[in-house]
C-alpha cells in the first residue's frame, strides 16, 4: 500500500497548528515563517478549481462592497 501526501493539505495542517498558538509566544522570525508558509500555500492552491472558486467569491464580495460605497 502506497500513501501519498498532498503538499497543500500538509501546509494547511501546519498553518492551522501555527495559527492556534498564542500570539505573545511568537518571535518576529516565527511570524515571518508563518507568512512564508501561507504564501506558499496560496501559490499551491491558486491554480486548482477550489482556488479559482475562492478567488471568484472574494472578487465578487470586494466588487459588491466597492459598489455599495460609491454614490
Amino acid at each position: 500500500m502506497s500513501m501519498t501526501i498532498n503538499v497543500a493539505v500538509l501546509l494547511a495542517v501546519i498553518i492551522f497548528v501555527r495559527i492556534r498558538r498564542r500570539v505573545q509566544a511568537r518571535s518576529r522570525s516565527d511570524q515571518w515563517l508563518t507568512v512564508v508558509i501561507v504564501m506558499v500555500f496560496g501559490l499551491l492552491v491558486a491554480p486548482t478549481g477550489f482556488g479559482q472558486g475562492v478567488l471568484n467569491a472574494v472578487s465578487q464580495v470586494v466588487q459588491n462592497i466597492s459598489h455599495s460605497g460609491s454614490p
Side-chain angles (χ1 to χ4, degrees), residues 12-69:
V13 170
I14 292 171
I15 291 167
F16 178 76
V17 170
R18 291 184 64 84
I19 290 184
R20 285 184 38 111
R21 290 180 40 204
R22 291 184 36 204
V23 175
Q24 295 85 2
R26 295 184 190 162
S27 66
R28 187 172 296 255
S29 61
D30 192 32
Q31 290 176 348
W32 276 110
L33 180 62
T34 302
V35 168
V36 169
I37 291 172
V38 169
M39 295 290 287
V40 170
F41 176 73
L43 291 173
L44 288 173
V45 171
T48 64
F50 174 73
Q52 294 299 316
V54 169
L55 176 66
N56 290 336
V58 170
S59 64
Q60 286 179 358
V61 168
V62 170
Q63 188 176 27
N64 289 337
I65 290 172
S66 67
H67 284 306
S68 66

